[in-house]
Amino acid sequence: MLTKRIIPCLDVKDGRTVKGVNFESLRDAGDPVELGALYAQQGADELVFLDITATLEKRKTLVELVNRVASQINIPFTVGGGISSLEDVSALLNAGADKVSINSSAVNNPGLVDKLAREFGSQCIVVAIDTKLYEKESKVHTHGGKKPTELNTFAWAKEVQERGAGEILLTSMDHDGTKAGFACELTGLISGSLTIPVIASGGAGNMEHFVDVFNSGKADAALAASIFHFKEIEVVALKNYLKSKNIAIRI
């Protein structure tokens, strides 16, 4: 059985880690380099770095900051934000990223997923899907959750898998920052319809929420931010708890 992964997320704006609720009301959560090093030491399985305003501000991800974070960690490192070309991916991989996450650019140009998967390998390409429920239909959002699209979340997830994505980072905007639990039903439906791993994101508030998303949500990994940043839960304590609940986890 594959072990489940715990992934802290660094949402970065203006060089600082930030966290909000439902993608709004951002507050400072610390220095991304220090936090990345801390999570690696605590036993996180991977780290995700998202430059959350790069697409909105029409600029590239902060490559120099990515390099500084990468130099302090020894775990797989995924970077996203403003990535729209082979050159962008090359620059980030050269700066120390192991994988890249694309969202808006994939929606705008679905062929980019195929192109990146062919050039760098599917294992390197994560497609992030920010989704929100509208009248019982989940719709994909771009530009850091600011722009709704007409894309159905389930159809889009299947399409990017077929195009060569190696993993899906699924964020429920309705659950993000609420600490009320992950979108387990949505995650379970998408995970059950795909053959590639699904990372659940949005809503972690306590340790039991992780048990729920791994069991009923069928997630391969769970991503969280504020509960780690504000020291409500430590990675090592969470992993020990999950192991006690018979979740396959790497200690």
Side-chain angles (χ1 to χ4, degrees):
M1 181 188 293
L2 287 173
T3 56
K4 305 295 187 180
R5 290 170 287 146
I6 300 299
I7 307 177
C9 180
L10 305 174
D11 291 321
V12 175
K13 183 177 188 291
D14 301 326
R16 296 287 293 178
T17 307
V18 295
K19 190 59 198 143
V21 177
N22 306 130
F23 284 41
E24 302 287 348
S25 306
L26 301 177
R27 60 174 172 146
D28 189 88
D31 176 73
V33 180
E34 291 176 5
L35 286 171
L38 175 66
Y39 298 141
Q41 289 164 10
Q42 286 184 352
D45 296 292
E46 299 186 18
L47 184 70
V48 166
F49 174 113
L50 300 175
D51 189 342
I52 60 171
T53 58
T55 300
L56 205 61
E57 295 170 4
K58 297 181 180 174
R59 60 173 172 76
K60 303 303 180 187
T61 302
L62 304 166
V63 173
E64 187 270 336
L65 183 55
V66 167
N67 183 257
R68 285 171 51 212
V69 174
S71 71
Q72 298 299 311
I73 64 175
N74 58 354
I75 54 178
F77 184 30
T78 300
V79 176
I83 298 167
S84 59
S85 69
L86 293 175
E87 292 75 22
D88 294 342
V89 176
S90 289
L92 291 168
L93 296 180
N94 288 334
D98 298 286
K99 297 185 264 189
V100 295
S101 171
I102 56 173
N103 178 354
S104 305
S105 60
V107 172
N108 295 334
N109 174 20
L112 179 66
V113 180
D114 309 67
K115 194 174 175 183
L116 295 180
R118 279 196 306 269
E119 181 72 19
F120 301 103
S122 290
Q123 81 289 342
C124 203
I125 309 304
V126 179
V127 172
I129 301 177
D130 296 336
T131 181
K132 193 171 185 178
L133 200 60
Y134 287 99
E135 297 176 357
K136 298 185 178 178
E137 185 181 0
S138 292
K139 295 285 187 73
V140 175
H141 284 57
T142 62
H143 296 75
K146 302 293 185 190
K147 289 184 72 171
T149 74
E150 288 304 310
L151 276 177
N152 175 279
T153 301
F154 294 89
W156 179 235
K158 285 185 177 179
E159 180 178 339
V160 297
Q161 173 180 269
E162 289 164 7
R163 288 180 176 278
E167 202 162 22
I168 300 286
L169 171 53
L170 180 70
T171 301
S172 167
M173 294 173 62
D174 298 304
H175 291 69
D176 176 74
T178 64
K179 299 185 184 177
F182 292 95
C184 291
E185 184 179 359
L186 173 71
T187 306
L189 288 169
I190 289 183
S191 188
S193 69
L194 301 178
T195 57
I196 59 175
V198 174
I199 304 167
S201 167
N206 59 46
M207 295 189 192
E208 192 61 34
H209 291 156
F210 288 84
V211 175
D212 293 341
V213 83
F214 287 138
N215 286 334
S216 63
K218 301 175 189 167
D220 299 275
L223 178 146
S226 56
I227 59 165
F228 296 139
H229 300 339
F230 302 119
K231 298 181 171 52
E232 293 161 38
I233 296 175
E234 287 200 345
V235 174
V236 66
L238 173 60
K239 286 189 152 192
N240 286 328
Y241 178 79
L242 292 172
K243 189 173 185 184
S244 77
K245 297 293 181 180
N246 298 314
I247 304 288
I249 201 87
R250 182 182 66 83
I251 300 292

